[in-house]
Amino acid sequence: MYVKTTRHPDLPPPLSEVGVLGWLRKNLFSSWLNSLTTLAAAGLLLAALPPILNWGLFSANWIGQTKDACLPPQGNPDGACWVFIRVRFDLLMYGFYPLAERWRVVLTFLLLVGLGGPLILSTLLPFRERIKQSLLLLLPLAVAAYSLVFHGILPGLAALGLLLVPELLGRAFKRKLLPPAMPPWLRQAVFIGVPILVWFVVSRAMQSLDPGAAGPMALAAGSLAFLIFALSGRSVTSWRFALLFTLYPCAAYLLLLGGGLGLPLVETDRWGGMFLTLVIAGIGIAVSLPVGILLALGRRSRMPVIKALCVSFIEFVRGVPLISVLFMVSVMLPLTLPQGVHFDKLLRALIGVSLFYAAYMAEVVRGGLQAIPKGQYEAAEALGLRYWKSMRLIILPQALRLVIPGITNTFLGLLKDTTLVAVINLMDILGILKSALADSNWLGYTKEAYVFAGLAFWLLCFALSRYSMHLERRLKTDR
């Protein structure tokens, strides 16, 4: 009898189980029903894609300045006329914002990228190991360099200062600015006194530069709010968050609206296009989430008055369509204001959109709060934590992690519903497209206009959705 004493070498897996064939067999042809569905989908794609690609890419007209470039003998009438979009591209992006002042819109966007980009990059796990702190520092520097080269010294220095402040302060003060051994009464005095002193100095300095302007006062107020957050910050990320939600909105307000520090005033009636869409969506998202969290906590409050107010607001807003809310804040709100008090139309629309989606966000967050086991609340009480501290440290982090898909869904709905502001005569990207289609020189290009708008919204929504899925995987919401 022969007994083999050596281990037989491992054989490679069958070719049908690995590579492309293995993937196809496992995912597309694992059963007869799966195979039939795959073949039906492939047939549908083969029937639909060639004419779409031929119209949108291969036979499309790209070059020219007038409608004649899309008509025989110069162009192909069977293809899309993207010349219409190219000629109107600036109008679609900036609306009627003055041509000479559009650098302010670009600079505001670049500042947002410089401040918020490193925060997003730091959450991308596949790139996190490769992206060192030096790269996170290079992104703000690149934005500042662009501002210096293309927009002059003053905008460049302003961008450089705004973007480098959190990085430099965070690296210089890795620990809390105030020593832990400081007496509580002295700590509270510093928290209150230092921001007020800085606000006073900054506001006086700004008023001496440009008296009577709202922008400098906004920057001074932003400095006040920034210091309140920053005094207790520890890391570069906390400094960056503090700056992004305090000073940046004030700087963006000053840049976009103008009227101070030598910047010409650009009324909001001239804002439009994708720029206006992003402004409404960004402010709506930034306001609706914290307000929604407060409403959700108020609805679960043990205080009857607070609970009744929150429930009434949520149920009332959820019971009416967004168009009605926009009409109410646009028409009814000015009637309730004292004589001489005037709210800008865009500001009224922002209030309406933010409050409307705050009600929906409150219900999403309430679902997450109800999913937290009662033991977590009891554990927080056993640790001696007060209500707001237990919410901030224990309950809300778990609740928000559970409802990331719902929060993202609400954000996507808000982004798409920004097109409804057209009913109160705000010219978002769809409003600009409609006005462009009414031009007698460009009649008949409705398909190109709506395909372009659809692609723009799809790209924004798809990017937001993919980032949400990435956060879900990183935070392991399925555990």
Side-chain angles (χ1 to χ4, degrees):
M1 183 177 66
Y2 172 72
V3 178
K4 188 174 182 179
T5 58
T6 58
R7 185 172 181 271
H8 191 280
D10 294 336
L11 296 177
L15 290 178
S16 60
E17 297 294 329
V18 296
V20 177
L21 286 179
W23 186 89
L24 290 175
R25 185 175 179 181
K26 182 179 179 182
N27 295 281
L28 301 182
F29 300 99
S30 59
S31 64
W32 69 268
L33 182 59
N34 195 1
S35 303
L36 189 62
T37 307
T38 301
L39 292 176
L44 185 63
L45 287 176
L46 286 176
L49 275 182
I52 293 177
L53 293 177
N54 184 53
W55 175 82
L57 292 177
F58 305 126
S59 300
N61 304 284
W62 302 88
I63 302 174
Q65 294 294 328
T66 63
K67 185 178 179 179
D68 295 337
C70 303
L71 299 174
Q74 300 180 30
N76 184 356
D78 296 329
C81 182
W82 298 122
V83 178
F84 166 69
I85 298 298
R86 194 170 66 81
V87 171
R88 302 278 178 169
F89 188 77
D90 285 349
L91 187 66
L92 294 173
M93 292 295 107
Y94 302 101
F96 301 102
Y97 210 89
L99 181 62
E101 305 297 327
R102 287 178 182 172
W103 65 269
R104 289 154 54 176
V105 179
V106 177
L107 182 58
T108 305
F109 176 74
L110 289 177
L111 287 176
L112 179 62
V113 172
L115 284 172
L119 292 175
I120 295 176
L121 286 176
S122 64
T123 64
L124 297 176
L125 278 177
F127 302 98
R128 189 175 181 178
E129 296 179 357
R130 286 177 284 173
I131 297 176
K132 304 297 182 185
Q133 289 295 324
S134 56
L135 182 57
L136 299 181
L137 182 62
L138 283 179
L139 185 58
L141 284 175
V143 174
Y146 174 87
S147 305
L148 279 169
V149 172
F150 292 98
H151 303 308
I153 294 178
L154 285 179
L157 290 178
L160 186 66
L162 187 61
L163 295 172
L164 288 185
V165 161
E167 201 70 38
L168 298 178
L169 290 181
R171 289 169 183 267
F173 302 100
K174 292 183 178 178
R175 297 180 180 179
K176 288 186 177 180
L177 288 181
L178 302 181
M182 179 179 288
W185 66 269
L186 184 57
R187 181 183 297 272
Q188 295 297 329
V190 171
F191 267 89
I192 297 173
V194 171
I196 291 178
L197 179 63
V198 172
W199 171 79
F200 178 76
V201 173
V202 173
S203 62
R204 293 299 297 267
M206 289 293 185
Q207 281 185 328
S208 64
L209 290 174
D210 195 352
M217 293 303 295
L219 281 179
S223 304
L224 171 70
F226 173 63
L227 282 174
I228 290 176
F229 285 101
L231 278 174
S232 59
R234 288 184 179 180
S235 63
V236 174
T237 302
S238 65
W239 286 91
R240 197 178 293 280
F241 262 116
L243 196 63
L244 187 62
F245 289 99
T246 55
L247 271 181
Y248 172 74
C250 304
Y253 169 81
L254 177 62
L255 276 172
L256 295 178
L257 190 63
L261 300 180
L263 297 175
L265 178 67
V266 180
E267 298 288 350
T268 55
D269 294 339
R270 307 188 69 178
W271 298 15
M274 182 57 75
F275 157 56
L276 181 62
T277 298
L278 293 179
V279 167
I280 297 174
I283 295 178
I285 288 173
V287 174
S288 63
L289 180 59
V291 175
I293 292 174
L294 292 177
L295 287 172
L297 295 177
R299 183 160 190 166
R300 290 171 55 86
S301 174
R302 295 174 183 173
M303 293 184 282
V305 176
I306 299 294
K307 183 175 183 178
L309 287 174
C310 293
V311 170
S312 302
F313 175 80
I314 292 171
E315 296 302 330
F316 173 75
V317 173
R318 290 174 65 202
V320 295
L322 178 56
I323 290 181
S324 301
V325 176
L326 290 174
F327 271 119
M328 287 177 66
V329 296
S330 179
V331 179
M332 300 300 294
L333 182 62
L335 300 178
T336 63
L337 298 176
Q339 190 173 7
V341 177
H342 173 71
F343 274 1
D344 185 82
K345 187 197 301 183
L346 176 59
L347 179 59
R348 281 177 270 160
L350 290 173
I351 292 174
V353 170
S354 301
L355 293 182
F356 183 83
Y357 275 96
Y360 282 87
M361 189 64 71
E363 290 303 280
V364 173
V365 175
R366 188 168 68 91
L369 292 173
Q370 289 180 340
I372 303 299
K374 189 178 179 182
Q376 296 291 313
Y377 293 90
E378 294 173 347
E381 293 179 0
L383 289 173
L385 299 179
R386 294 186 176 182
Y387 176 78
W388 290 108
K389 205 164 187 178
S390 64
M391 287 294 135
R392 181 169 60 88
L393 298 178
I394 296 180
I395 304 301
L396 279 177
Q398 300 181 71
L400 294 178
R401 191 184 67 179
L402 290 175
V403 295
I404 287 177
I407 292 175
T408 306
N409 201 34
T410 307
F411 286 166
L412 294 178
L414 189 155
L415 176 60
K416 290 184 286 187
D417 280 351
T418 54
T419 55
L420 293 177
V421 298
V423 300
I424 55 174
N425 295 326
L426 288 176
M427 301 294 283
D428 71 317
I429 186 169
L430 277 186
I432 294 290
L433 278 172
K434 288 179 181 177
S435 66
L437 288 172
D439 187 350
S440 58
N441 295 322
W442 291 97
L443 293 176
Y445 296 107
T446 309
K447 286 186 291 186
E448 287 83 350
Y450 287 109
V451 166
F452 174 77
L455 281 176
F457 275 101
W458 180 81
L459 284 175
L460 292 173
C461 294
F462 182 71
L464 187 59
S465 175
R466 296 301 297 180
Y467 185 67
S468 163
M469 294 171 64
H470 165 73
L471 283 183
E472 287 182 48
R473 287 194 297 271
R474 186 190 178 194
L475 298 176
K476 299 178 180 176
T477 55
D478 56 344
R479 67 182 180 182

